[in-house]
Amino acid sequence: MPVKLVGEPTGYGLRCKTWDTIAALMCVNDLLLNLLENPKLMHELADKLTDIFLHTLDQYVKLNLFDTDALYCHSASATVSFGEKTADDYKGPDLKKVWGRGLAKIFASVSPDMHDEFDIQYMKKAMEPFGYVYYGCCEPLDRKIDILGTF
């Protein structure tokens, strides 16, 4: 059986999950209330966690830790968009050939404007390095699709 050295896929392990992280550290009720009562704090948290995510990406690139040949990105096939790989694809990660993944399940219960202000604007910054973006899985975006624009 051939052995293949792979890195971290962006499907589950390395994904931008700003609001899931905040929800795990702060009571969900407090999180939602603070979006209204203390928006400055919530923007500061989102900004800091976005910066941490981008710094982590930089470190993964420097250390060549990305899986540039991932078979999945959450519940979708990640291989369909890449085409044939060349030897250069395995020398170091080109994030324009890698899936980025973001999510904000807690934002299923906020208005489109609030979702855009507190998540999508940060998510655009976090997903900019990637060539492909998988956003969400549980968020009902059918009533908010216009806030996504183009990543």
Side-chain angles (χ1 to χ4, degrees):
M1 178 183 333
V3 175
K4 178 181 167 188
L5 185 64
V6 297
E8 178 72 32
T10 55
Y12 283 105
L14 185 63
R15 63 190 184 272
C16 189
K17 55 185 190 259
T18 301
W19 294 101
D20 281 23
T21 300
I22 294 170
L25 300 171
M26 176 187 289
C27 166
V28 171
N29 288 338
D30 289 343
L31 184 159
L32 293 170
L33 191 59
N34 276 313
L35 291 173
L36 293 170
E37 293 186 350
N38 199 350
K40 182 177 184 260
L41 170 68
M42 303 312 275
H43 278 294
E44 289 171 352
L45 287 170
D47 192 49
K48 178 56 88 176
L49 288 170
T50 300
D51 286 346
I52 289 169
F53 177 77
L54 289 169
H55 179 72
T56 302
L57 289 183
D58 289 343
Q59 293 301 308
Y60 271 63
V61 168
K62 286 177 186 169
L63 297 170
N64 195 17
L65 295 177
F66 275 109
D67 184 356
T68 58
D69 203 19
L71 295 175
Y72 75 95
C73 182
H74 189 51
S75 58
S77 171
T79 60
V80 295
S81 301
F82 296 128
E84 292 297 317
K85 295 285 185 185
T86 68
D88 287 340
D89 288 325
Y90 298 100
K91 290 180 183 173
D94 175 359
L95 292 185
K96 293 302 178 192
K97 294 183 178 181
V98 174
W99 282 90
R101 178 163 181 244
L103 54 120
K105 295 176 204 156
I106 193 67
F107 279 77
S109 60
V110 302
S111 72
D113 289 342
M114 188 173 280
H115 194 150
D116 182 46
E117 177 184 352
F118 288 96
D119 182 54
I120 299 300
Q121 295 309 309
Y122 296 98
M123 196 59 63
K124 285 180 179 180
K125 181 179 174 184
M127 294 295 109
E128 192 279 326
F130 297 99
Y132 307 95
V133 174
Y134 180 111
Y135 179 80
C137 70
C138 305
E139 300 87 332
L141 295 172
D142 58 321
R143 294 177 305 277
K144 300 179 181 182
I145 198 73
D146 59 314
I147 66 171
L148 297 179
T150 56
F151 270 87

